[in-house]
């Protein structure tokens, strides 16, 4: 439509109905979106996999349901993160084929196949308390650029559990490592593989963990060079970045 | 040699000179490195590009030169980061073809072609004060998985400078965005592209920038989903991660 | 009354009933308020628009209602900020024409026209979660020095949404920009306009947003020069400052 | 020139030398700057007063001099902030009429009259140690939107010094208040006037002042509603914001 | 009793029943309390006024009641701080003449006159939200070393309210100043009087007040020299210190 | 079984069914656990006392009960830390001889005698609010390397209470000192004894205790040289370290 | 003079040369200082002892000397704090009887006897590194309200050194306790005496002392109730407060 | 002598020259040190090994030399920590057999054999930059309770280096683990051994290591249960604690 509007304007010039000076003036004031910017998002969606993402936190169930229903008209696949059961009930009333994922607290709608990347995204988690965040990462990565393999409960204090799975670790194209407390696991994993490692600090811990700050700082100071970091408990972000790499 | 030792042990079993029980006991106590671990590093080096990396900071010029000379026997390419002119003088005395890069404060030795990735690594920098860190990232990425394209001096307060280069931004396979002060640039870039973005906070600023903390926190809280973050002023790490992605 | 007391004292001097030395002594000990200071507030109220402001937080509904009723005797317009429904019920029992604003959680009483400034106050908000704070700013500014225009849901990760509204942005005399997470939006807006920009950090976010600290630090370090900042979630303050500028 | 390029393109359409479809394609890829964005900066400069601003910190004297010389071709007035005597020597070699301001550590070039606002910008400073920052604010404001009045050495522990100047305070259109240590002065000033107050925290202090953090936090939590805040020691920013308000 | 034990030992020496060497050995191992230390507390109690103080927070109602009942045997006056209604119910069941103070959330038992100091303790509070903490200070000071005068709701943004009460302020022997938010009031009061000022930061505020940290830092950095500080919300401590000064 | 697999492989070599080269290749890919690593944990358990430890926090009652029941098959003694009554109910349904310890909020199962060390572990606590954490330390130490002696309610503000127990303090082989607020007690105790002191900061306090940070920092900066520190409220860790020392 | 001006005005009224209404108007606009405020400082100086205090830090030697010379005209005694030898040279050139105190880095001029309080101010210091700050406190207190007694090198890790001086401690009317590192000494002292204790944190320490923050937090959280705190390294403030108490 | 004084007093009682009541009074006022406290230090020294420790930092070379010379009269062995070459020169002038240790920046005097513990203290260091701190720990532990074994340059990013030395690690009675940056090594080591592990964070790193804070927090949050922590860069403390354990 915007393109149509611009074409109309150009047609008018070509037809002599609009002088160059007047056209210049109009063009200068056209909203940028009208010049094709809206397609940016369209392009991005195509490349990033056919899933619209909605952040549930801070919205009412009714708002989430309304946005999801509107998005579902165009996007075959949906992901609602940081959701709760009430949000799911509202969404399911509008979209009965929506699915509730209790541990990562996410809602999905899948009407098209999940996007696949070129390799496997490995999700490693240090402890069982890290699983909600790790599974948000796994679900996100699998929707947008999987498949995903997982390796749970292999914290650094029992390093042999990790070493026993070296082959699977090295088979991954990109690795997400979720850990709370001291957040040391990404450094150990990073030293064992050549793939890019996305460190995912969790708020698991107490006292001087300061809500995940200790893990976050540890990961930012990793002595392994192939490690980059996302926000505390940001499983979605870690999964998104991993998928964007795996789709390359 | 380790492999030889292990083969000798196995030969002894095959020859009947060593019983399985005794062999079992010996194997259990063999240092892991002897079981092939040393090759892990070898493998990684091959995949990550033929460059040995030495952190200059905290070492004396003599130490840096000694390590560099030893490494140059095996590794055709070397990178010394966080170096200073005195370190370069010491290195150049031993390795006359070493090169000093003043802005990123790095030393390189290049006796083999630089490693190439599948696409281009774009390095974006917000201001001229961010250039030392950005160029450390660019040099690292180019050595280990280039080529590299750069886009400097396009901070968010003059957003049109960035928008004018949208095509080049979108042509990159992975993007590093260096910024100090409020660290907002990675979010803007992340919203314009589908490629993974590595946010590189710098310590540029004063007052409440708290040595780069403001930029770091800003980047960790990016509302763009394709952004992951490295430590403040860690140009080397950003370049390393970008190269590891571009080599995929 | 105070003025009357002072006049009485001066009359006594004029009438010869009080010697200058005794008058000097009395004047020195007169409370300052008696010298006309109380009118300071009166003057300020006139210039700042006819609205008395009550901070609801930390008061009981009964206390809020009592203060509001007392204030309404003199002030035609009232604003109660950080209120809750119970406070509104108590106020409405005393002042039936009070109005409840659910999103900004504010109560207003409007018996005189709202104060108008010389231009328009634009309120920009990055995301829908920022709306409660942004609307507190908008309501405050509109009461004390509007009119107000709003531009919501245009965060930096989708910069084209902002660019599409450049004309409206540039038409404003003063702009409030509310954002949580990385708080980058004020820098981008500041770079696009010449008007003063009031950055309003919100506590929207999680993990390393540290309750809005990341956004606050980002805004304080803005590379746009025309930006000043208020406290986290201080929509009232931002609106008040904007109104004080727009009334100039 | 950009405008010329666009006009040429439109002329080509009008002349029938370029079809609308091809024109559409070209327009879509034109750098945004070519569509008039460059004038944004031009417009801003005109409205903000004819002064180009260069941040000296983090640049070499030669770089500062080169940028200043290039800017002086177009901009009659220049301001170099956070400069040092070596920078001034380099600038003065190229621009002999440049002036060194030792206390605010700034360089100016003034070939056109300073920009005037509609009222007076008052700069208040708590102590003599705050003067370098306060004078940077005063110089900036005076160049870009003065005139400026100043009121120094009137910290809150001697409140009568401030009260004695109430008339001058109330005569200002916008007020900058610089203070270190506990940073209480903006609250007191804010309570005495109706004008917008820009709080400027300085790093003056020791121990638990934490480099100005105490003053910054105090100002952000001001109980005076007409106060907004800039970064620690950001005299330039405070002056710039004040000028942008005074020019309204 | 301990004294008796020591006297017995000395009697045994005097009587020749215990040799000096054996006595030396026994004395070396006597618990210190047996040497008279227990009287330290007794002495202190006498000098500090006849009130036993119990911290309610972190104890069960039954525990508080048991401790209070035991203390009341010896101490005519009791103060339970950081209490709640359930604690009061339990205490009142055992001590029917106990009194509940709802705003400072304290329980008192007064069977002897309150301790009086040599002058008056003035308690100043910035806003109504600071009253619970301020009244805990006032109640404590009045029990242990009053009398107490109070001056509430005179924050720095309306400085004339404070100045109007200068005579009362200057009449006090020691002054407690409670304030939240920017915590500027102690500096202003400290500048107006010669008496020692005890700054009492409260957790009143939001956002960058960080639970009273902003007020605490402000007070520690006070430019008034006669100011010392207690912990956030530590009304009891401020009152205790003031009483200890007023009793001098 | 793993050992069996390895023995089989070695037997094959010995039998000539597998050549050394092929064996070498297989050995290199054997998961490390298969080389005997799993016995690490077994060994450690034997040396550290026959108690399996389960962290209750972050698990559901059903999960805790399932893990406890599985562990109880092999481990005669169990300790569940940071538990709650619902967890105990679930555990007791599966293991009726489990015991609930309300103050330290722990569950134990004791079917074998507790492990004894060579000396006594002393647990000192500053105040009654520190008891839940101190008793978690005492219970842990007693299970894994007791016996334990305790000395409660002897904070530094009444130093004579501590001095009176000097003999008992000096009789201990290792001492845990739990304290909140200013956390000064470990320094005082450390100065009185030669034994290693484990400082255990608690979150007891308010305001500027910042959830135990003040106590933690105090202990880390202890001027007594024989002090090391564990995390805030980490009674389990303190008890575990003390037991590991006492078993030496 | 101001008083003269006011008297003139009153005389004019008395003489009938100025009507009450006009006088009212003039009085309202008289600067407050003219109403006698300047004498506030005069009064305070008299009560606080005849010493003018100049903060050297942040001033040039010439500035310090000029201020000192001007002050010496009226004030018989001077104290320059945070000075350096160059400042002393400049001051001594103007005031040859000035004295340099190297450890507390202070300059004094004493032409009148030091002010005496009613009792003794005791200054306790934990270690020898705390002496510069402790001696600044001692010198200040002795000038403004001494005499001063001192007790140095008695940190909490050797508590017997403190206990051995209990009599001297208890003889003091007010006690300053300077300590770095964990800052535990004020709590111990506070528990041993009934006098008010002023805790003076120093920046002595390293690592997690964070420039005195650990000591500061420890002192703010003191479990001794008679403790209040001043800023890190603020020996002057501690001495000033102690003197103000001792003069009561 | 003190003991002699006490014996004299007892003798006087025994001789009837002093009545019990008078003796009681005298005893109560005897300084504690006179009752045997001085021997506490003597006892401790005997048990902790015959080495007096002097903290060089914050003292002048002359002061260090004077203290060392005085201590050397009684103590055969001395350790001066945080020293510098100038201090060594001064000490060596007085004690020619003193030895300078450049990497740990320590001075020793050894006239008696070093104290030996029951096992070996292992000192592990992550990187070469951690060696100054690690060697201070090793030297301290070896003087006060060695022998010491060391394992350097085995950070977590190359975990195989650590695993290759498992036997040596497990042979130690107590282990010190020094690491900067993310500080993950103590967790890994703690998981591999049953011995107590003393985590020693170093300030090695940059950016978000915040001077060792990241390593410190990581170690405090270790998921290995046998880990306790000392202050950043406190090699002396780690060595002291390890020696106190190894001497048990």
């Amino acid at each position: 439509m915007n393109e149509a509007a611009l074409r109309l304007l150009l047609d008018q010039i070509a037809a002599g109905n609009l002088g160059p000076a007047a056209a210049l003036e109009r063009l200068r004031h056209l909203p940028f979106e009208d010049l094709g910017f809206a397609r940016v998002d369209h392009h991005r969606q195509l490349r990033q996999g056919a899933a619209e993402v909605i952040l549930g936190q801070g919205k009412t169930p009714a708002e989430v349901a309304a946005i999801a229903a509107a998005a579902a008209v165009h996007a075959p696949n949906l992901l609602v993160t940081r959701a709760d059961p009430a949000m799911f009930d509202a969404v399911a009333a509008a979209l009965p084929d929506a699915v509730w994922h209790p541990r990562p607290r996410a809602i999905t709608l899948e009407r098209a196949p999940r996007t696949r990347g070129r390799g496997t995204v490995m999700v490693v988690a240090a402890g069982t308390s890290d699983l909600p965040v790790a599974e948000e990462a796994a679900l996100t990565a699998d929707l947008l650029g999987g498949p995903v393999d997982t390796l749970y409960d292999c914290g650094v204090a029992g390093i042999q559990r990790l070493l026993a799975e070296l082959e699977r670790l090295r088979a991954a194209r990109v690795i997400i490592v979720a850990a709370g407390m001291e957040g040391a696991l990404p450094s150990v994993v990073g030293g064992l593989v050549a793939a890019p490692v996305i460190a995912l600090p969790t708020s698991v811990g107490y006292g001087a963990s300061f809500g995940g700050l200790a893990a976050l700082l540890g990961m930012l100071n990793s002595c392994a060079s192939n490690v980059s970091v996302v926000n505390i408990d940001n499983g979605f972000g870690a999964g998104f970045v991993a998928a964007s790499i795996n789709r390359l």
Side-chain angles (χ1 to χ4, degrees), chain A:
Chain A
M1 195 154 68
N2 292 332
E3 203 165 324
L6 183 56
R7 177 180 286 270
L8 183 62
L9 187 143
L10 296 171
D11 282 343
Q12 289 179 297
I13 307 173
N17 295 334
L18 188 72
L24 179 66
E25 198 57 28
R26 282 203 197 170
L27 276 168
R28 188 178 298 136
H29 293 93
L30 265 181
F32 285 28
E33 194 174 22
D34 295 353
L35 286 172
F37 257 107
R39 290 185 310 166
V40 172
D41 289 329
H42 192 58
H43 282 164
R44 193 192 312 156
Q45 188 180 352
L46 287 177
R47 275 171 293 178
Q48 293 175 355
E52 186 83 13
V53 182
I54 300 161
L55 174 67
Q57 181 183 342
K59 297 196 178 75
T60 65
E63 287 172 339
V64 171
I67 299 173
V73 174
H74 301 292
N77 291 356
L78 290 183
L79 170 63
V80 185
T81 62
R82 297 187 169 246
D84 59 36
M87 290 181 193
F88 173 65
D89 291 344
V91 170
L95 303 166
D97 51 338
V99 177
W100 172 239
H101 302 260
R103 193 130 58 170
R105 301 184 74 76
I107 303 165
T108 55
L109 183 79
E110 299 189 55
R111 294 171 173 171
R114 296 180 170 196
T115 309
R116 298 296 83 181
R118 295 199 177 177
T120 297
V121 175
M122 169 62 86
V123 178
V124 183
T128 50
S129 305
D130 300 313
L131 287 189
V133 175
E135 294 202 350
E136 188 189 56
L139 179 60
T140 302
D142 200 49
L143 276 170
L144 300 177
V148 164
D149 190 11
T150 60
L151 200 47
Y152 291 159
D153 197 19
C154 51
V156 293
I159 200 73
Q160 74 280 3
R161 292 175 294 182
L162 191 72
L163 297 175
E165 303 287 355
L166 211 48
E167 294 302 312
R168 282 170 66 203
L169 272 179
R170 289 190 177 149
R173 197 158 185 251
V174 52
I175 303 180
I176 294 167
V177 184
M181 300 177 77
E182 79 269 63
L185 193 55
S187 292
V188 175
V189 171
L192 294 171
V193 303
V197 170
I198 298 155
L200 171 53
T202 73
S203 56
V204 169
Y206 56 89
S209 85
F210 296 125
L213 177 63
L216 171 65
L217 291 181
M219 293 174 183
L220 286 168
N221 286 282
S222 176
C223 54
S225 306
N226 50 346
V227 173
S228 63
V229 188
V230 296
N231 193 7
I232 299 163
D233 288 338
N234 187 8
F236 166 70
F240 194 101
V241 171
S244 78
I245 294 174
N246 197 32
R247 284 195 314 266
L248 286 178

